[in-house]
Amino acid sequence: MKAILPGTSASGQQTTLGVMGGGQLGRMFVHAAQAMGYFTAVLDPDPASPAGLVSHFHIQTGYMDEQGLAQMMQRCAAITTEFENVPAPALRTLGVQRLVAPRADAVAVAQDRALEKAHFVRCGVPCAPYAVIASAEQLRAVRDALLPGILKTARLGYDGKGQIRVNSRAELTSAWAQLKSVPCVLEQMLPLANECSVIVARGADGTVVNFPPQLNLHRDGILAVTQVFEGNLPATLTQKAVDAAVAIATGLDYIGVLCVEFFILQAGSSAARELGALVVNEIAPRPHNSGHYTLDACDQSQFDLQVRTLANLPLVQPRQHSPAIMLNLLGDLWLRSSDTALTPPWSEVLALPGTTLQLYGKLEARPGRKMGHLNITGAQLAQVRGTALRAADLLGIAPF
Ligand code: ATP
Ligand code: MG
């Protein structure tokens, strides 16, 4: 397959790369593609979408709109996705005429927890014991060993939405009803010591490169802090996590950037004895919030690698040149004192050495809404940690 080179083509056309979805991940893809000399097109119905605001072209239609898809195909040499819930059929339509990465069938697996879990099993990578619940019969057949558990809708969940924790069969029954009896997956509740993720990029020729595993702290089901430094995980787990992520990507014949999220189980727990210390949670068929540190701490960011895999440019192993901590900036920070919006103390935060602020251009702050992130880098981990804690304190983020 030929590379789609940046700049002007022989016919005098600007080479354009497209992205389905206009959220912050699309925005950072657009930044990376433009920095390399591509034009960009974004399809997102929202006129104020973060990526649409910074793209050369913004096609404002629904994801399945025929005209919108036709415009994307007309404009773009290749098209990627940034939003898990862009319907796979839209990618399938685009894929008939244009290079689409990741492909629709790989995205379809990531969009459905039941298919996703079946893929983990196929790859021989341990995941939480689970049962698919799509009928009253399957509900009745659930093994007691899966309780207490978490009932998750098979499709369309994010940031802990579409999930209910259940302790008993009675709670499970009412939780399924509360989720409108849509197809769900019940997972055994596991004793977590930590969570981590690995981001890989896989090219059309099968080359796979990876970032080091990220140590992730979630609060209320939403990523709060990511820490990446030498020794953030025991070496054996680091290797296991990378191997599992590569196996999952290769098993999907995946092209693009893929994030694999893992649970690290409490040492000595019966779950850890049964499943091993590392259990895969889920995959995201795109760059991931836990990889935003790569923008400032690595020689290639996850978005650079998304551009490279999409355009079939060479993939080389990225190198992290600095320990890094990322703080997610949720809408709550703007709503701290009362219900009147206030501006977080950016001047104080940016006075701290090694801080890089990125805001996504969202007009309205809402609780739990991802408004931006702050990366902290530096020569020494102790200094990075000190700065991150100071910044968190200034912003009203609880210490970690
Ligand atoms: P994302 O925004 O990452 O897509 P999501 O809505 O898909 O989130 P999950 O990743 O499935 O949700 O779960 C959110 C968080 O809930 C996890 O990061 C973890 O902290 C906790 N969690 C989920 N499943 C389990 C489990 N089986 N056992 C223990 N904790 C769990
Ligand atoms: Mg998750």
Side-chain angles (χ1 to χ4, degrees), residues 37-63:
Y38 295 98
F39 271 35
T40 59
V42 169
L43 187 147
D44 189 300
D46 177 3
S49 77
L53 290 174
V54 298
S55 179
H56 294 90
F57 307 109
H58 179 190
I59 298 163
Q60 291 173 32
T61 69
Y63 297 116

Side-chain angles (χ1 to χ4, degrees), residues 131-344:
V132 175
I133 300 179
S135 68
E137 209 161 54
Q138 285 174 320
L139 179 70
R140 276 194 300 274
V142 160
R143 295 173 290 136
D144 286 333
L146 294 183
L147 294 167
I150 307 187
L151 187 67
K152 305 179 178 182
T153 58
R155 304 178 63 86
L156 300 176
Y158 70 99
D159 290 346
K161 295 188 174 76
Q163 303 194 0
I164 301 176
R165 298 184 174 217
V166 293
N167 291 306
S168 64
R169 281 183 175 273
E171 283 181 22
L172 173 62
T173 302
S174 76
W176 195 48
Q178 202 182 320
L179 294 173
K180 307 213 159 50
S181 306
V182 295
C184 285
V185 165
L186 174 69
E187 278 179 36
Q188 189 184 98
M189 180 74 79
L190 296 174
L192 308 190
N194 264 314
E195 296 186 61
C196 69
S197 55
V198 173
I199 293 166
V200 299
R202 186 170 182 276
D205 65 354
T207 306
V208 191
V209 299
N210 69 280
F211 290 103
Q214 295 103 210
L215 183 61
N216 299 326
L217 171 67
H218 290 81
R219 287 177 175 153
D220 301 326
I222 306 176
L223 183 65
V225 181
T226 292
Q227 306 191 63
V228 194
F229 51 85
E230 196 84 47
N232 63 349
L233 297 178
T236 52
L237 286 191
T238 295
Q239 196 53 48
K240 269 206 172 98
V242 172
D243 291 347
V246 171
I248 287 166
T250 305
L252 285 171
D253 199 11
Y254 193 87
I255 301 174
V257 170
L258 178 81
C259 178
V260 181
E261 291 183 77
F262 297 92
F263 298 140
I264 301 170
L265 303 186
Q266 283 171 20
S269 62
S270 63
R273 276 195 300 277
E274 230 169 86
L275 301 165
L278 191 78
V279 168
V280 62
N281 171 20
E282 59 175 354
I283 59 177
R286 48 170 176 76
H288 192 259
N289 195 168
S290 62
H292 292 352
Y293 77 96
T294 62
L295 288 161
D296 299 303
C298 299
D299 58 1
Q300 293 282 301
S301 76
Q302 59 172 346
F303 304 101
D304 294 329
L305 296 189
Q306 187 181 20
V307 172
R308 285 184 182 228
T309 52
L310 183 61
N312 205 27
L313 294 170
L315 272 184
V316 287
Q317 178 71 15
R319 190 181 72 86
Q320 183 180 1
H321 47 66
S322 160
I325 295 180
M326 183 218 60
L327 305 180
N328 244 358
L329 305 174
L330 301 180
D332 310 63
L333 305 189
W334 278 253
L335 308 167
R336 260 210 290 165
S337 59
S338 62
D339 50 8
T340 50
L342 82 160
T343 304

